[in-house]
Amino acid sequence: MPLTVPKQIRLARRLLDQHYATPITIEALGSQVALSPYYLIRAFKHIYKQTPHQYLIGRRIAKAKELLRNTQISVTEICAAVGFESLGSFSTLFRKATGLSPRAYRASSLPAASPTYIPLCVCFLHGIQDLPDF
Amino acid sequence: MINRLSVATIWVLDQNEALRFYTEKLGFTIRADALFGDYRWLTVGLDSQPDVEFQLAVIKVSDGYTQAEVAFLTQLVAAGKLGNGVWKTDNCQQTYELLSARGVEFIQPPTDRPYGIIEAIFKDNSGNLMVLSQDKPR
C-alpha cells in the first residue's frame, strides 16, 4: 500500500465528517481524494473497520442522537438535518444502530455531556486511538 | 483517597437489547452513547444517582479480547455467573410487581431477610443476576 494512502483515507473521513448532511456518493468521494471507489472502500475499511458508507450512516446517526438528546427539534426535522431523505429509512437505521426508535431514544435520554468521556482503560483495552472529529 | 464510584461495567450479550431492557423495563436513562470506530461506548444511569453510570459493555472480539475469551465470558454472563449487582428501592414489593408487569424475570420474589432487608432476585436480559433490595425500618 503506498505511503500516501493513509493521508487520503484520513481526508476521506474528514470530508465525510464535514459533509455528512449532504448527499455523498462513493464516486464523488473517491474523486476528491484521488482514489478509485473500489480502492477507497477497501483501504477505508482496512483502517477504520467499516466502509465509507457505514461510517457516513454512523456519523449521521451520531448527530441525530445528539440532536434528540440536546434539542427539542422534531424527529422529522432531525431526519432531514442529518442527511436522510426518508423518515422510514432513518427510523429503521436508527433503531438498528441504537436498539430504540428515535422517539424512545429521546424519552430515555438525559442531555449528553460534551465531549463524551471514555475511560483510558477502555481505550487501552480495545485499541481505541483514532477518535472521530466530532 | 478514592471517594466515590463513577463508572461500573455490566457485561451484556447485545447492546441494543440491553439498552431496551435497562431503559424501557428498569427505567434507566442513557448517559453516553458514542461510536469510536466499531466500538460503542454506551452507558446508562439512574436519575436519582446522576454521578454514577453503568457501561453496557458488549462481549466481542477486539484488540482486547480473543475469540476464546469472548466465548468463555459469554458463557459466564448467560449463566448469571459474572455480573451481579444490588439495586436499592424504597418498596421492594411494589417495584417487584411493576417490573414483573413489564416482563422482567424474577427468580425469587421479595423475601424478608433476618439481616434487616427485603430482597428479590431478577435476571437482566443478558443473564446477569441482580438483587432488588429494600432496607427495613429499624
Side-chain angles (χ1 to χ4, degrees), chain B residues 53-110:
Chain B
E53 54 192 307
F54 301 91
Q55 180 200 6
L56 301 179
V58 72
I59 305 165
K60 66 174 191 178
V61 177
S62 69
D63 290 352
Y65 294 93
T66 65
Q67 184 69 54
E69 288 168 339
V70 165
F72 187 52
L73 273 172
T74 300
Q75 276 187 326
L76 290 177
V77 169
K81 294 179 177 177
L82 189 61
N84 304 111
V86 179
W87 307 107
K88 301 300 286 189
T89 174
D90 293 332
N91 189 321
C92 191
Q93 181 65 35
Q94 199 175 63
T95 306
Y96 162 76
E97 290 169 7
L98 174 69
L99 298 185
S100 295
R102 291 179 181 174
V104 176
E105 180 189 354
F106 278 82
I107 61 171
Q108 182 187 287

Side-chain angles (χ1 to χ4, degrees), chain A residues 59-127:
Chain A
R59 187 68 182 84
R60 288 172 173 171
I61 295 291
K63 186 62 180 176
K65 288 192 289 191
E66 179 192 324
L67 293 173
L68 285 165
R69 297 182 71 172
N70 297 321
T71 74
Q72 295 304 312
I73 300 171
S74 74
V75 171
T76 305
E77 288 175 297
I78 289 173
C79 164
V82 300
F84 288 102
E85 294 178 356
S86 146
L87 187 58
S89 64
F90 168 58
S91 295
T92 301
L93 288 167
F94 191 91
R95 186 186 291 270
K96 186 179 173 190
T98 68
L100 299 174
S101 71
R103 283 180 180 79
Y105 193 90
R106 169 173 272 166
S108 301
S109 301
L110 293 175
S114 183
T116 298
Y117 160 73
I118 181 166
L120 198 55
C121 58
V122 174
C123 295
F124 180 76
L125 186 59
H126 296 280

Side-chain angles (χ1 to χ4, degrees), chain A residues 48-50 65 69 95-100 104-105 108-110 116-119 122 125-128 131-132, chain B residues 7 16 19-20 23-24 28-41 47 55 62-65:
Chain A
Y48 298 120
K49 299 176 183 172
Q50 53 190 334
K65 288 192 289 191
R69 297 182 71 172
R95 186 186 291 270
K96 186 179 173 190
T98 68
L100 299 174
Y105 193 90
S108 301
S109 301
L110 293 175
T116 298
Y117 160 73
I118 181 166
V122 174
L125 186 59
H126 296 280
I128 299 168
L131 302 181
Chain B
V7 182
N16 284 353
L19 183 59
R20 274 198 286 274
T23 57
E24 295 177 352
F28 286 58
T29 49
I30 300 164
R31 295 289 179 75
D33 185 4
L35 276 178
F36 298 89
D38 63 349
Y39 185 80
R40 185 182 183 190
W41 172 250
D47 290 351
Q55 180 200 6
S62 69
D63 290 352
Y65 294 93

Side-chain angles (χ1 to χ4, degrees), chain A residues 26-49:
Chain A
I26 190 67
E27 289 77 14
L29 186 64
S31 172
Q32 290 192 62
V33 298
L35 291 175
S36 75
Y38 172 78
Y39 194 85
L40 173 58
I41 292 170
R42 207 173 63 141
F44 196 99
K45 186 168 186 180
H46 176 73
I47 293 171
Y48 298 120
K49 299 176 183 172

Side-chain angles (χ1 to χ4, degrees), chain B residues 111-130:
Chain B
T111 306
D112 210 329
R113 299 294 191 196
Y115 35 88
I117 63 168
I118 301 168
E119 65 180 355
I121 304 173
F122 68 92
K123 290 167 73 172
D124 75 3
N125 62 345
S126 293
N128 296 303
L129 291 179
M130 305 285 185

